[in-house]
Amino acid sequence: MCGIVGYTGGKDCVDIIIDGLKKLEYRGYDSAGIAFEEDKGIDILKAVGRVENLEKLVIAGKVKSHCAIAHTRWATHGKPSVLNSHPHGDCKGEVAIVHNGIIENYDELKKELSSKGHKFASETDSEAAAHLIEEELKKQKDFFKAFACAVKKLKGAYALAATYKNAPGVICVAKKQSPLVIGQGKGEYYLASDVPAFLNHTNKAIFLEDGDLAKITADSCEIYNLAGVRQNRKVNIIKWNPATAQKGGYKHFMIKEIFDQPQATKDTISTLPPDIKKAFGIMPAAARKIKGLYIVACGTAYHAGLCAKYVIEHFAKLPVEVETASEFKYRSINFQKDWLFIAVSQSGETADTLAALNNAKQAGLKALSICNVVGSTITRASDYTVYTHCGPEISVASTKAFTSQLAVLYSFALNIAKEHGTITKTAFDKLYKEFKALPALIEQTLKDAAQIKKLAKTVYKSNSYIFLGRNAAFPIALEGALKLKEISYLHAEGFAGGEIKHGPIAIIDKGMPVVALAPKGELYEKMLSSCQEVGARGAKLIIVTNAPLKGAVEVPYTNEYLFPVLAVVPLQLLAYYVSDMRGREIDRPRNLAKSVTVE
C-alpha cells in the first residue's frame, strides 16, 4: 500500500506534489506528509488523515520548493499518527525518506542503530532506513553511495526515496517488489508509485526493475543495480488520457468506472484477435501441450479466475485449479508438469500473487499474467502477458478491471479450446462473434441503471444481503457480495444456488434481500426453484436473468458463459447505490487500499 510522489526540477513543485498525492490517495489515506528542500536544508510537514489536511499545512506555511518527496500512508507498522507518518528523518534532520513496503529486518536494524546512539521517533519499520542512511554517510560523503550501501542492508519489500541536505536537488530511489515509476520531463523528473500521479505533466515513464537504484536530478536519471552496474531502462510512452483519471462529472470514481466498462472492454477485446499466438503470445504447439491450469489471484481478480474455471473446463475440457494467492503460496503443491500458471492482478504489484507466481516459476511452470498496468512487477516476471486496457482504475473497489479480466479469460478459454480441438471452427467463430459484441451489450445493460437505483431504494436499509448463483454465475454471486460489503460495510454473502437448502436458508428472514443470478441454460429451472425456496421464507427477491421474466432485472441474451460479464454490472450498480444512499465513503472505503503490495 502507500503512495510515493517526488519531483526535482526548475518548477515550484509543491502543487505538483499535492496533486500527485491526491491521485494516489487510493493507495492509502491514514496520513500524508512532504519533505521539501528550502534554503536552510530539508523541512518536513505531516498530517493525519486525508491529503487535504496536509495541503492546509502547506498553504498556511507558504511552502515553496524545487525538490521534494511525499507520501500518503496506509498503516502497517504503527497506528495512524503524526509521528508514524512519512516522511521520516534521521537524528540530525538532514536525511528524509519515504517508503512503501515492509522492512522485514527492522527490529534487527533498530537494535543495531540504537546501540550506536540513534534515536527513533516512530513505531514504523520505515524509519530504520533514514537512520541507516545517516550511519552510512558517516563513512562516505557521497549521498548516492551511502544510500546504496544502506539499501543493501534492507530485507523485505520497498519502494524507497530519499533526499539529503548536503545534496540539493538529488533524489535517490530504490525498488524491490513495491512499485516505483520515474516520469521524464524537460529539465525535470517525477517519481511516483503509479503513473496517474504525474500524467498531467509527462507521459514518459521509466518502470524500475527489482534491485534497481536510481540517482535523479533535474537533468539526469542514472539507474544502477545493487552491484553498481549502470542499467538501461526503456522510456515508455503512456497513452492514457489524463482525463480518464478524473471523475468526468460523476459523483464518485466508482460510478464513473462502472460506466467506463463498455469502452474498457472494447479496448481490451480489440487487442484479442482469435489467434492464441497473436492474442496471448503462446505458440499453438505449446498451447496444445498444456494439460491443465492453475489460476491464482486475490479478491475480485480471484472471482474472475473462478469464472474462468467454469468456462475453460466447459469449452477446453482441461482441469483448472483456482486458488487465492495468499493460500497458494504457502501450500506444498505437487506441481503438475505441462500445466500453465495464470496470475490475475489489476495492479500487477499484488504481493501474494507475485509470491505465488515465483513459486510456480521455480517449479518450472510457464506463467501468463493478466494485468492492467504496463511494466508492472508481475508482468515482468511472466513468460506471457495480456493487458486489460482499462486505463487507471481509481476507486478502491474494482469494476472495469474485473469485466475486462473476464473478457481476457473468456478469449483464452475459446482459443485454448480451439487448439485442443474440443470445439469446432464453426462453433469457435460463432462464439467469438458473440464475444466481440460484449461492449455493446454492456452499454445496453447500463441503460437499466435507473431500475437498479429504484431497487436499491427498496433494500438499502437492510443490514444483511444474500447473493445466489450456479455454474459460471456462482462466482458472480461471490463478487456481488464482496462489492457490497467492500463499500457499504454491510453483511453480504454469496452462495451456490444448490447449497442454499443445505444450511444457509436458515438465515433468511422476512424482507432480507436475496439477489439471484439465473441465466437461461441447463440450470435455469433449478435456479428458479432456489428462488422459490427463499421467496417462500419471505425474502425480498431480486432476480438477474437474460430470459424474459416478469419483475426481473433483465440483461441482454448471451450464452451462459458470457452471462457473468453482463450480470455483474447490475450487482456493481446495486452495491454503489445502496452505499451512496447510506452515505458511505465509496471510493476510499475504510481499512482498504487499492493495491495490496504487502502480506
Side-chain angles (χ1 to χ4, degrees):
M1 316 329 164
C2 305
I4 290 173
V5 180
Y7 175 90
T8 181
K11 297 174 183 174
D12 176 11
C13 66
V14 175
D15 288 345
I16 293 171
I17 292 290
I18 294 296
D19 182 63
L21 284 179
K22 288 179 178 179
K23 288 183 170 62
L24 294 186
E25 205 167 18
Y26 66 89
R27 298 182 62 85
Y29 34 81
D30 289 328
S31 61
I34 182 172
F36 55 95
E37 288 185 4
E38 56 178 6
D39 293 339
K40 297 179 181 179
I42 296 173
D43 200 0
I44 294 175
L45 291 176
K46 305 181 185 184
V48 174
R50 301 292 167 79
V51 172
E52 62 188 32
N53 296 335
L54 174 66
E55 185 177 23
K56 291 174 184 176
L57 294 179
V58 167
I59 293 171
K62 298 180 180 180
V63 176
K64 295 183 181 296
S65 181
H66 294 283
C67 182
I69 56 175
H71 189 273
T72 181
R73 182 174 185 244
W74 188 80
T76 53
H77 288 65
K79 64 185 179 182
S81 69
V82 171
L83 285 177
N84 288 331
S85 301
H86 295 225
H88 292 292
D90 65 337
C91 297
K92 298 178 181 178
E94 296 180 347
V95 174
I97 67 98
V98 289
H99 168 240
N100 172 33
I102 290 179
I103 298 174
E104 293 176 356
N105 59 335
Y106 156 71
D107 284 334
E108 174 187 332
L109 290 172
K110 184 176 181 180
K111 289 176 183 177
E112 178 185 341
L113 291 164
S114 296
S115 70
K116 295 178 179 179
H118 291 266
K119 304 296 183 183
F120 283 72
S122 77
E123 303 169 294
T124 71
D125 57 324
S126 305
E127 189 184 352
H131 293 285
L132 196 55
I133 295 169
E134 178 186 16
E135 190 65 25
E136 293 298 330
L137 282 165
K138 294 177 183 178
K139 304 172 187 176
Q140 50 191 324
K141 295 182 179 180
D142 185 277
F143 175 37
F144 182 68
K145 290 181 179 178
F147 176 82
C149 289
V151 168
K152 290 176 185 178
K153 295 181 179 180
L154 300 178
K155 295 179 181 178
Y158 51 77
L160 184 67
T163 57
Y164 177 43
K165 174 183 177 181
N166 296 326
V170 177
I171 301 176
C172 293
V173 303
K175 181 202 179 305
K176 181 184 176 185
Q177 297 180 21
S178 297
L180 203 57
V181 187
I182 295 170
Q184 183 185 66
K186 294 181 179 179
E188 61 188 6
Y189 278 89
Y190 302 81
L191 176 71
S193 297
D194 202 354
V195 169
F198 57 70
L199 195 54
N200 282 328
H201 308 284
T202 180
N203 67 345
K204 296 179 179 179
I206 302 167
F207 294 93
L208 297 181
E209 302 276 355
D210 279 354
D212 278 354
L213 304 166
K215 178 182 178 182
I216 306 170
T217 68
D219 301 313
S220 66
C221 174
E222 300 174 6
I223 302 173
Y224 301 84
N225 63 18
L226 288 170
V229 179
R230 186 75 178 264
Q231 303 294 300
N232 292 317
R233 295 287 177 247
K234 178 183 176 182
V235 178
N236 298 272
I237 304 300
I238 304 300
K239 297 180 181 179
W240 292 347
N241 184 329
T244 62
Q246 305 304 315
K247 292 180 184 176
Y250 289 96
K251 187 176 181 180
H252 298 97
F253 279 112
M254 182 179 178
I255 189 65
K256 174 188 179 294
E257 288 162 5
I258 290 172
F259 277 87
D260 280 347
Q261 288 176 115
Q263 188 62 50
T265 52
K266 182 178 180 180
D267 291 344
T268 298
I269 289 172
S270 70
T271 67
L272 297 169
D275 183 291
I276 199 160
K277 180 183 176 183
K278 292 179 181 178
F280 296 89
I282 303 174
M283 297 297 290
R288 289 190 286 272
K289 291 181 180 178
I290 295 172
K291 295 180 179 178
L293 300 107
Y294 299 103
I295 303 179
V296 177
C298 300
T300 287
Y302 167 69
H303 296 153
L306 285 175
C307 277
K309 173 182 174 68
Y310 287 95
V311 181
I312 294 168
E313 290 184 344
H314 175 76
F315 288 118
K317 314 303 181 188
L318 290 173
V320 181
E321 290 189 13
V322 185
E323 191 159 352
T324 53
S326 57
E327 291 298 312
F328 186 91
K329 68 179 183 177
Y330 288 116
R331 284 181 50 214
S332 297
I333 298 171
N334 180 22
F335 285 100
Q336 300 295 310
K337 186 179 179 182
D338 294 327
W339 280 46
L340 178 69
F341 181 93
I342 300 180
V344 187
S345 170
Q346 186 279 140
S347 68
E349 303 293 345
T350 312
D352 290 327
T353 305
L354 180 60
L357 185 153
N358 288 335
N359 286 353
K361 292 283 289 180
Q362 289 171 10
L365 271 64
K366 293 288 187 181
L368 165 69
S369 60
I370 298 171
C371 183
N372 191 44
V373 180
V374 175
S376 55
T377 305
I378 286 173
T379 65
R380 295 198 302 271
S382 301
D383 299 283
Y384 318 106
T385 296
V386 180
Y387 290 107
T388 53
H389 293 262
C390 300
E393 189 178 61
I394 304 302
S395 181
V396 169
S398 180
T399 52
K400 61 179 179 177
F402 177 68
T403 46
S404 289
Q405 288 165 355
L406 289 177
V408 171
L409 288 162
Y410 185 87
S411 171
F412 177 83
L414 295 186
N415 274 286
I416 199 74
K418 181 177 72 171
E419 296 303 329
H420 279 256
T422 52
I423 58 175
T424 65
K425 184 181 185 305
T426 300
F428 176 87
D429 292 342
K430 180 177 181 295
L431 289 164
Y432 225 84
K433 183 179 180 181
E434 188 177 19
F435 167 63
K436 292 180 73 174
L438 263 180
L441 298 179
I442 295 173
E443 189 167 9
Q444 187 178 336
T445 302
L446 285 165
K447 290 179 180 178
D448 290 331
Q451 178 190 5
I452 307 302
K453 190 172 184 179
K454 287 181 181 178
L455 282 171
K457 286 182 180 179
T458 68
V459 299
Y460 81 96
K461 293 182 179 179
S462 298
N463 293 318
S464 189
Y465 298 74
I466 299 297
F467 293 77
L468 301 177
R470 299 196 70 156
N471 199 14
F474 165 48
I476 300 304
L478 298 178
E479 174 61 13
L482 175 63
K483 209 55 52 194
L484 183 62
K485 57 191 167 191
E486 278 182 320
I487 60 172
S488 72
Y489 318 146
L490 298 170
H491 170 254
E493 290 192 70
F495 296 105
E499 285 296 297
I500 189 72
K501 56 183 169 290
H502 293 289
I505 200 168
I507 65 174
I508 301 295
D509 288 328
K510 185 177 181 180
M512 177 185 283
V514 174
V515 182
L517 304 169
K520 192 67 177 176
E522 186 180 355
L523 298 176
Y524 177 66
E525 285 76 15
K526 292 186 182 298
M527 192 64 221
L528 292 184
S529 176
S530 295
C531 293
Q532 291 173 350
E533 289 173 355
V534 297
R537 271 74 181 177
K540 167 67 177 176
L541 195 58
I542 299 171
I543 300 176
V544 179
T545 182
N546 58 2
L549 186 65
K550 186 178 179 180
V553 175
E554 190 175 336
V555 300
Y557 181 80
T558 59
N559 75 70
E560 62 183 304
Y561 294 94
L562 270 182
F563 173 78
V565 188
L566 302 180
V568 76
V569 175
L571 274 54
Q572 294 169 346
L573 289 167
L574 181 67
Y576 173 79
Y577 289 127
V578 166
S579 302
D580 190 38
M581 290 171 189
R582 295 187 71 124
R584 302 304 195 213
E585 187 68 63
I586 289 174
D587 287 331
R588 296 171 292 194
R590 68 188 185 194
N591 303 330
L592 298 177
K594 184 68 177 175
S595 179
V596 185
T597 57
V598 297
E599 281 194 66

